[in-house]
Each structure stands twice: as C-alpha cells, then as structure tokens.
Amino acid sequence: MTSIKIPYAVLLAICTLLLLSCEKKAQTLAEAYADQFLIGAAVTAGDYQSQPFWKMYDEELIGNFNLLVLENGMKPEAVYSRMGVDSYNYKFGDLVADYAQARGMSMRGHVLIWHAQSPAALMKPQEGREASRASMKEYITAYVGHYRGKVHYWDVVNEAISDDWSDTYRTSSGWFKAYGSPDYITDAFTFARAADPDAKLYYVDYNVCESGKRERIVTMLNELGLVEKGLIDGIGIQGHWNLEWPSIAELQETIDTFSAMGLDIQITELDIDCYNGDPSVPEMAYTPELEKALADRYQELFSCFRRNSDHISAVVFWGIADDHTWLHKISAGRPLPSPRTNYPLLFDMKEKPKKAYYTVRDFRD
Ligand code: XIL
C-alpha cells in the first residue's frame, strides 16, 4: 500500500487554519471588547416614571454590556433631599448597584456636581461659599461613601466649562455663583477622593472634541492643578455625536490631548443623532441607506477607540435600544417642539441588533 506523505509545514498550515476557523466568535459586545475596554449602557430603574431596564430587555441583550450607569436616577435632584443625610434617596442607585454586583458588572456614578437637575437647596447659590462648601462636603461624603466598592467610576463634575470664548467657566452654575470662583471643582474632587480613595474620578463634558471647548477644559485642569494634586483620574467625553461630527481627526486630537496629560479617557454618553443636530429636519424613516450610514459611522468610531484602547477604559452608550432614547425629544441639547423618531443606538425599536451592532462586534483589525 502506498502512503501519501504530507510535508510537515503543510500539515501545520492546515491545522492552524482549522483552529482559526473553529475559534469562538464573540457573542456579545462585552466579550468582543474584553481585552480593550468596558462596554457600558445608561439604564433606567423606575425613576421618573420609567420602566426598570430589567423589565424592558432580556438578560441576553443586557449581557452585551459589562458596565451600567443610571440615566437619571443618581442625579442630584433624584438623590438629594433637604431632610438631611439619612434621607438621601439611594433607591434607584441601589437597585442598579445590586443588579451590577450580582452579575460582576462595573458601575459608573452619574453625577455628583452639575448645574442642571440639581436643587438650589443643595448648591445654596445665595448663601455664599462656606454654606455651599459645607453642603457639598456633607452630600459627597455621604453619597460616595454609601457606594464605596460598588461605584467604580464617578462623574464628579459635569459640564462646568463655558460654551464660548467669553469665559473659561460656566459662571451661571449655582455652584460657581455660591463660590464666586471655580474652586468648587477642586473641592468636589477632594471630597470624592476622601470618601472613596479606590474609585476613579472624572471630569465630564460635551463638545469636548471641539477645539475651543477642549482648550478651556485643559485651562481649567491646569489652573486648578487637578492632575498635579492627584485629584482626577480621567476625562469623560460625552459622545452625543452625529453622523458627521466629530471627525476622526478631531476625536484623535482629543484623545491625544488628555492622554498626554496622564489622564484616562471614557466615552461616557455615546449616541449618534441621525438628524445631525438639526431640529428642522422632518422625521425620517430608517431606510437601508441610513442603516448603512450609521453602521459606517459606528465602524469608524470604534476602530478609532480600538486603536486607542491603551488610553480608553470604557465606552458607554446613552441607552440600550432605540425604543428608549432621549434623542426622540431632543436636538442639539434642546427640546424639540414635538417628538421625532431617532435611531442612535445599536439595537432597534424592537430591541433587535442593527447592522451597526455587527460592525462594532465582529471587527477584524
Ligand atoms: C439626559 C437624560 O437622558 C434625559 O432623560 C433627561 O431628561 C435630561 O438628561 N448630558 C448629561 C446627561 O450629562 O445627564 C443628560 O441626560 C444628557 C446630557
């Protein structure tokens, strides 16, 4: 009997090919990005008459994410009560923290110090710096202390920078008014650091990829010395973007700017406005062209995130599926006169994965 001799190198090549074709394809976003960064989503927990997310979505879908943040339920107006420390409303945060802990998911805390959705009774804009400072200290100490070991990343200060060149800071904020200076930002980070030395602390803003806003954030970081004092760990870039803006070059420049300062980066509120920030565009159908444009946009964004995965620790979507997104009612940060269906996320109205989902999950770099 004649035996066929297969050269060793050919055999090795065949085995490698076989192994590669058997390699398990990632089933979830979290799995696909396990070596790069966390994949998060903003969720609801019954706050503001919302449906709790675990009743809206099945476990399999939620399993795409390994980090959770509350869309509204941990904001100052939801948590703060003027009745005193014992009566802070931790209900919604606790529900999500317990859910996350039971499944080994990480959690972001959104948000401690912000000008919006924050009661005057907490900020005390009319009562001066000392009263405001004492109020902030009590609030942050109790709140961050309550979530010690459960919330891993805090949005300590949100949107404190002016939208135009006339000022560095948002001087209309209740906190700025009370202090008469941006020192409230330093205080917030100081109190949060003391309340949970293991949590990672972020400054967060929108339009960060716009050069002027970005430069003003850098000015703030330098003026207050937050990096040198070891008070801040990273920058949260709200990803309220659209099909055209920001360009990948602007995004890259932003990542380069903050990572060069030794800061971690998280994309904290990612959703793609299919109307490109224009409130006058009438409602569009979700056409195959739009489906493709959205998939291409997510493709270029995520390949940029992957190239920069050494500097990015999380990418967080502002919602799970298109059936629940603030963008049905908002355009460029302002309320629309009447709701308009938008298609910003990776899952559709029926909670099925869109083409964009597969381009993000099944990447080949
Ligand atoms: C939005 C929520 O999505 C809405 O439900 C709410 O009505 C207003 O706030 N920047 C932030 C988020 O930091 O807290 C905002 O969330 C979106 C803009």
Side-chain angles (χ1 to χ4, degrees), residues 71-72 75 110 114 117 158-159 238 240 269 318 326:
E71 184 181 357
N72 284 299
K75 288 176 178 173
H110 177 74
W114 192 23
Q117 291 181 269
N158 193 24
E159 303 178 357
Q238 293 182 16
H240 297 302
E269 303 182 16
W318 204 239
W326 74 315

